[in-house]
Amino acid sequence: MPIVPRPFIAALALLLAGCAAAAPQPTPVGAETTAGAEPLSDQDLQARWWTWAASSPENRNPVVDDTGQWCAENQPRDVWFFAGTFGGTVDRRCEVPAGRPLAGPALNLASTSDACARFMEDAKGSVALDGRLVELRRIAPVAIAYQAARGNVVGQREGRVTGQGCGLWAWIPPLTPGEHELVVDGESGSFRTSARYVLTVRAAD
């Protein structure tokens, strides 16, 4: 996200699935989830995710967070966003509300059309839920607009930001109650990021 000053948010990226001798085949979720809301459009998904990522300062931002203590920060009510890092590997423990679909990028960028095109040429990534690969949506550059808060970590001025969004994105229907593992990995050029989430879903009251 060269709309940002760091390697990651200069391309805000997320995951890169670990290497295994016999890699699992991508699958659109499965028995570990329940029926969920329809996926957002390419524009809405990216615009809302970037608004979320740019909604809090560095000392409490879920993208910078390396433990999961800020997972719930500014989460919307109809979807639960996850993120990678600005580069490097993290382990996060988070609680996810029941009945909420999950969405996030394995790798993404918000910049110009040309920058997105170059970024996507080398973009690789994966999202794995409980050891099973989730099918990713490859989004080519598309016009987006999002809101950035004062002091945001993506390096944007406060207010409305416009640009081109692209990346490898996952949409996961609501998870069943219990504990789940979500592994997000991504790379493009020399940039690499990896985030492992241990997610606890509480049964609805």
Side-chain angles (χ1 to χ4, degrees), residues 28-55:
V29 218
E32 293 306 308
T33 64
T34 62
E38 288 297 315
L40 297 169
S41 69
D42 291 353
Q43 287 182 311
D44 288 345
L45 174 59
Q46 294 184 97
R48 293 188 60 189
W49 187 93
W50 280 102
T51 294
W52 170 72
S55 66

Side-chain angles (χ1 to χ4, degrees), residues 2 9 27 38 48 57 80 95 101 123 129 131 141 174 178 185 197:
I9 274 261
T27 178
E38 288 297 315
R48 293 188 60 189
W80 195 89
E95 286 195 9
L129 174 65
D185 291 292
Y197 284 86

Side-chain angles (χ1 to χ4, degrees), residues 1 3-4 9 12 40 42-58 60-63 70-83 86 103-105 108-110 143-165 169:
M1 132 184 156
I3 257 194
V4 192
I9 274 261
L12 198 18
L40 297 169
D42 291 353
Q43 287 182 311
D44 288 345
L45 174 59
Q46 294 184 97
R48 293 188 60 189
W49 187 93
W50 280 102
T51 294
W52 170 72
S55 66
S56 51
E58 184 169 0
R60 57 187 303 122
N61 189 279
V63 181
W70 303 117
C71 285
E73 189 76 1
N74 296 325
Q75 288 281 2
R77 293 182 177 278
D78 59 341
V79 63
W80 195 89
F81 287 127
F82 59 83
F86 287 108
N108 66 327
L109 176 68
I144 62 171
Y146 64 92
Q147 291 296 128
R150 178 177 301 180
N152 64 82
V153 299
V154 301
Q156 292 302 306
R157 70 187 189 289
E158 180 182 9
R160 187 171 183 269
V161 181
T162 60
Q164 296 285 315
W169 291 83

